[in-house]
Amino acid sequence: MPESQTQDSLGGSPVETSRPMTSRLISRRQDKQQSETEMMKDRFTKLLLGEDMSGGGKGVSSALALSNAITNLAASIFGEQTKLQPMAPDRRARWKKEIEWLLSVTDHIVEFVPSQQISKDGVCTEIMVTRQRGDLLMNIPALRKLDAMLIDTLDNFRGHNEFWYVSRDSEEGKQARNERTKDKWWLPPVKVPPNGLSESARRMLHFQKDSVSQVQKAAMAINAQVLSEMAIPDSYIESLPKNGRVSLGDSLYKSITEEWFDPEQFLSTLDLSTEHKVLDVKNRIEASIVIWKRKLHLKDNKSSWGSAVSLEKRELFEERAETILVLLKQKFPGLPQSSLDISKIQYNKDVGHAVLESYSRILESLGYTEMSRIDDVLYADSLARKQCTGEETSDGGKLATETDSARSSNFSGEETEKLESQNSSKTTLLDFIGWSDNSSKGQSEKPPKSPKMTPKKFSYLEKLENLNGFRSPKDRH
């Protein structure tokens, strides 16, 4: 066979075999796009029917259906994130794709704004054009940015080998259990080296925790702002008592209405040992705030909501109660939703508010989850370092006692008598003043305790100004 014919036959075979391969890839891509389109149709069909596929008209409102869809999507994606490690590529791609489907609804929530149009003749005419609603235009890009920052935080732990996770049922996992993780049976225990983490790894963990904390505060502020703008349902108002004292109880009401009020001191006197007790305090305080606000807006003093308390004092009580809510949310970031929040979300009809509230709430929850996982690693590191330093001090204590006994044996009896006579002949400033020596003895017997560092206390107005997302709509605007 000639050489040219051999080259033609060899060169033509790969081209012929590559054609069916490309056609297969194109067909697979088309099938994938078709399946994604069908999935998106099914998702929006459920939203339009209000999660009632029977078509009997028993579904929920579109706002609540969209809120539930975002919440359920986040639970299915981030519920499996039990470790400080990057998200799986398939779960990450699914989150980005499906959250964009649900957020695309906000592109069609618009408002009319004035604009100018110049015709061909050069005449300027004022017209009204549509633009995305103001709160959505500002908060949706911000929430997308916070979402990307939280996912990037998980990516920063890629290839980290100074801490690792073990199975909870293994022997190593049983040894790794501690006071922090003993009740969290669904989380794998974390292990660190015997000497603890390195300084660079510890610094990196603290930096990531601070970053996540800032993201969580931003999401928390947006969520509180949206909830404050939602209307309070009539069913919730009808269930309230007639005054704030009945809602709070005598002890809470007396503490809030005293002339001198410190919110941190107030919280220290409460029993906040369980999540149920914290939620009960939050429900009582929120109910009292609603009662006081209604009394401020009602002009008829003869109504059943009227009271003898002055408007100035009622405004002061309202600000104090809002300050307590801020501190409770900071101290217990993973607290479930209160009765007022659940009622607002359930009866909300604004689709834009529903998207903002649910999106910010799941980002706040994801930030709390990441901070908890970082705290688990830092706690395991502190236990390892304490155990290491305890072993070193025990070895050093043995050496110190041996050297002290050797030194004491070298002293003669005469030298000890001289030392005793010198100590007894010393006169102190207390003897000249005339104070009794009992106080000095008591101080020598009981060493003074190291002073505790007390954090700087801010007033409740300063705290509300620092977290302006928690202010009421009246004060914020």
Side-chain angles (χ1 to χ4, degrees), residues 122-137:
V123 179
C124 183
T125 308
E126 251 190 45
I127 60 172
M128 299 294 290
V129 296
T130 58
R131 186 187 66 183
Q132 191 178 21
R133 205 171 71 185
D135 56 343
L136 301 174
L137 186 64

Side-chain angles (χ1 to χ4, degrees), residues 429-439:
L429 182 61
L430 297 177
D431 299 329
F432 285 105
I433 296 176
W435 290 355
S436 62
D437 195 43
N438 294 331
S439 61

Side-chain angles (χ1 to χ4, degrees), residues 148-263:
M149 291 172 68
L150 289 176
I151 294 179
D152 290 342
T153 300
L154 295 175
D155 290 341
N156 292 333
F157 292 99
R158 188 187 306 275
H160 217 279
N161 54 3
E162 290 205 25
F163 62 89
W164 60 96
Y165 295 89
V166 295
S167 175
R168 194 172 184 84
D169 298 330
S170 64
E171 190 66 28
E172 192 177 7
K174 292 179 181 179
Q175 296 176 358
R177 295 179 186 177
N178 49 49
E179 292 294 328
R180 181 178 172 82
T181 60
K182 65 178 182 180
D183 295 332
K184 302 176 182 178
W185 54 267
W186 63 93
L187 295 177
V190 62
K191 291 280 292 181
V192 296
N195 297 330
L197 300 173
S198 62
E199 188 63 30
S200 60
R202 197 176 301 118
R203 196 181 303 115
M204 190 272 288
L205 283 172
H206 282 291
F207 175 76
Q208 297 297 333
K209 182 181 176 181
D210 293 339
S211 302
V212 174
S213 176
Q214 297 299 321
V215 172
Q216 188 194 25
K217 287 179 181 178
M220 191 187 301
I222 294 175
N223 184 264
Q225 177 183 352
V226 175
L227 282 173
S228 65
E229 293 175 355
M230 287 184 181
I232 301 175
D234 295 335
S235 60
Y236 179 82
I237 296 175
E238 292 173 358
S239 66
L240 295 178
K242 292 184 179 181
N243 54 58
R245 188 184 191 114
V246 177
S247 175
L248 289 172
D250 292 336
S251 60
L252 292 180
Y253 182 81
K254 185 178 179 181
S255 301
I256 291 179
T257 56
E258 283 182 348
E259 184 177 356
W260 184 86
F261 176 73
D262 184 4

Side-chain angles (χ1 to χ4, degrees), residues 265-282:
Q265 180 68 23
F266 171 79
L267 289 179
S268 64
T269 59
L270 299 179
D271 183 12
L272 304 176
S273 56
T274 61
E275 187 179 87
H276 176 72
K277 293 179 180 179
V278 178
L279 193 60
D280 180 63
V281 172
K282 185 178 180 182

Side-chain angles (χ1 to χ4, degrees), residues 73-87:
L73 174 63
S76 63
I77 296 294
F78 300 115
E80 304 175 4
Q81 196 69 34
T82 58
K83 302 178 182 179
L84 280 179
Q85 61 184 13
M87 293 177 61

Side-chain angles (χ1 to χ4, degrees), residues 93-118:
R94 181 191 165 200
W95 166 253
K96 286 186 175 181
K97 176 181 62 180
E98 297 193 16
I99 194 63
E100 287 299 325
W101 290 352
L102 300 174
L103 293 179
S104 64
V105 178
T106 60
D107 296 335
H108 305 279
I109 302 175
V110 296
E111 60 184 358
F112 285 102
V113 294
S115 179
Q116 292 183 350
Q117 184 181 22
I118 301 176

